Amino acid sequence: MNLRRLIALEVNRSVYSGLVKEHPLRTLFWECTLRCNLSCRHCGSDCRSTASVKDMPISDMIPVLDSIARECNPHDVMINVTGGEPLVRRDLEQCGKVFYDKGFPWGMVTNGAGLTPQRYRSLLENGLRAVTVSLDGIGETHDWMRGRKGIFPLAVSAIRMIAESNMVEYDVVTCVNKRSIKQLPQIKELLVSLGVKEWRLFTVFPVGRAAADPELKLSGEEFRSLMEFIKATRKEGVIRASYGCEGFLGDYEGDVRDNFYICSAGVTIGSVLSDGSIGACSSIRADFSQGNIYKDDFMHVWNSRYQPYRDRSWMRKDECADCKWFRFCLGNGMHLRDASGHLLFCHLHRLQEA
């Protein structure tokens, strides 16, 4: 690694240390439901059309919002509504209005299948300000990933509608697997034709349904080719592609993302899961929850707990024990740790396999 990149990584490390100390809440994920209208192969939550945990009433989130508002400017905290699929909630507009009336900007992560023009207008009227739509391939490849035939046109229609409206901040996310990696140039061409400017690509981590599906995991060579594709696409400047926030990427740091790697879970990102568990990014399951909104004040938990997130020295074990890059990686993203704290896989090792 060249000296310039090493210096940049040291600066990034210093900035991250400051964030840990201050831990300003900037994003709150709300897992509003575990129900879903699809059956995606890579679902980390193993969501279904019905769920054992009922949808959380928006009234149960009001104390959380009030707790945050006592210590933070609501305008500075983005509420990201996730699931499951948020659009299966018929009262999503009412939920959004609560956020909006209390001064919180809000957005959602959706598969787009249920985003009709009428529903979109209704959400906008209730304060929707950001949308992330998933597109995991072209045609049958997307349908295969999402577990339902005929879904691809619905996702494309949703993306087109959002792009043409120019009413919200939005991006498209693509889960890259052994099938979709061959279609990346086609996906890029489609997104550019739709007017999309922001495209995030990520890879599957082995939890939920994805844990036992070999077609979802890229080889080291495929993973490196993904990095090269993103790097080249960024240089073209037509659409801003970036790799997801997970994983330290060695010599690709600074080339495939807008920022150098940090895991913001528990540092600037918190979450409330569907059962009330207080956690961090929504990809991290209940093993690392810090409390529950039904018995704890959210901001008290945010300010006084989260030690496993903010002091990651405990991650320096197993394959991380003697790694020279630990000072920058800090053991990878929290969502890549199992219930016992062991690392599921290392992005840098995958690159080194190529």
Side-chain angles (χ1 to χ4, degrees):
M1 183 176 292
N2 63 47
L3 181 60
R4 183 177 180 180
R5 201 183 307 267
L6 280 171
I7 292 173
L9 285 168
E10 286 291 352
V11 171
N12 185 67
R13 179 172 174 266
S14 177
V15 171
Y16 180 71
S17 296
L19 281 175
V20 170
K21 183 178 180 180
E22 298 297 328
H23 51 267
L25 181 65
R26 292 290 177 259
T27 301
L28 180 70
F29 285 100
W30 179 39
E31 187 180 64
C32 73
T33 183
L34 284 179
R35 294 182 295 131
C36 190
N37 50 1
L38 302 182
S39 183
C40 304
R41 301 178 73 90
H42 61 309
C43 182
S45 304
D46 199 22
C47 298
R48 293 178 169 84
S49 57
T50 58
S52 57
V53 178
K54 293 182 179 180
D55 295 354
M56 180 186 292
I58 187 58
S59 58
D60 292 359
M61 276 294 289
I62 290 177
V64 176
L65 303 176
D66 291 343
S67 175
I68 295 171
R70 284 193 292 269
E71 298 191 34
C72 306
N73 184 340
H75 298 296
D76 294 334
V77 182
M78 182 73 183
I79 309 293
N80 279 337
V81 182
T82 68
E85 168 54 47
L87 290 174
V88 302
R89 286 190 65 139
R90 295 182 179 180
D91 67 340
L92 185 58
E93 287 85 345
Q94 287 72 32
C95 298
K97 188 175 189 304
V98 170
F99 299 140
Y100 181 76
D101 287 347
K102 288 185 172 290
F104 291 88
W106 72 279
M108 67 175 178
V109 181
T110 178
N111 57 46
L115 193 62
T116 63
Q118 295 80 6
R119 193 82 196 270
Y120 184 48
R121 284 195 298 272
S122 179
L123 291 167
L124 289 173
E125 290 169 358
N126 286 279
L128 180 70
R129 290 296 176 263
V131 184
T132 291
V133 184
S134 298
L135 187 73
D136 295 321
I138 299 294
E140 292 181 358
T141 299
H142 177 79
D143 292 354
W144 168 82
M145 189 67 165
R146 292 283 155 179
R148 181 175 155 190
K149 292 183 178 180
I151 287 300
F152 174 70
L154 299 181
V156 172
S157 177
I159 294 168
R160 178 182 290 110
M161 178 171 55
I162 295 167
E164 290 179 350
S165 77
N166 198 30
M167 294 291 289
V168 296
E169 294 184 11
Y170 72 96
D171 65 355
V172 173
V173 293
T174 296
C175 181
V176 183
N177 55 67
K178 286 186 175 295
R179 295 192 184 191
S180 62
I181 194 169
K182 302 170 185 176
Q183 296 183 334
L184 291 181
Q186 293 173 265
I187 299 172
K188 179 177 71 173
E189 183 178 348
L190 172 62
L191 295 181
V192 170
S193 73
L194 295 173
V196 175
K197 301 298 182 184
E198 303 285 342
W199 182 25
R200 278 185 294 138
L201 302 97
F202 68 99
T203 47
V204 166
F205 51 98
V207 298
R209 297 176 194 161
D213 194 334
E215 286 195 85
L216 298 183
K217 183 181 177 181
L218 300 183
S219 67
E221 183 178 354
E222 289 169 330
F223 188 62
R224 183 172 289 277
S225 73
L226 172 59
M227 296 300 106
E228 290 294 332
F229 173 82
I230 295 173
K231 185 176 177 180
T233 299
R234 290 174 69 86
K235 286 183 177 179
E236 290 173 357
V238 178
I239 184 172
R240 186 159 62 179
S242 60
Y243 186 63
C245 60
E246 63 175 41
F248 177 71
L249 301 171
D251 285 333
Y252 286 105
E253 287 296 325
D255 290 336
V256 296
R257 285 187 284 237
D258 294 343
N259 305 302
F260 287 86
Y261 169 72
I262 60 171
C263 179
S264 298
V267 178
T268 61
I269 297 174
S271 71
V272 174
L273 301 184
S274 56
D275 64 354
S277 295
I278 299 172
C281 115
S282 54
S283 295
I284 304 169
R285 302 315 299 167
D287 302 313
F288 294 100
S289 292
Q290 302 299 296
N292 193 288
I293 66 168
Y294 294 112
K295 62 179 182 179
D296 301 306
D297 177 77
F298 180 86
M299 285 305 292
H300 175 75
V301 172
W302 179 256
N303 289 323
S304 64
R305 301 184 193 176
Y306 284 88
Q307 188 68 10
Y309 293 86
R310 296 170 188 168
D311 179 2
R312 304 201 179 195
S313 58
W314 65 269
M315 290 185 173
R316 193 153 201 165
K317 61 182 181 179
D318 304 328
E319 63 184 291
C320 297
D322 301 314
C323 181
K324 67 178 182 179
W325 301 111
F326 186 85
R327 66 188 287 105
F328 305 127
C329 177
L330 296 177
N332 220 315
M334 187 71 80
H335 68 291
L336 295 175
R337 296 277 165 170
D338 65 16
S340 300
H342 298 296
L343 186 64
L344 296 173
F345 76 89
C346 171
H347 291 74
L348 192 57
H349 285 178
R350 183 185 287 183
L351 288 169
Q352 292 168 342
E353 291 172 0

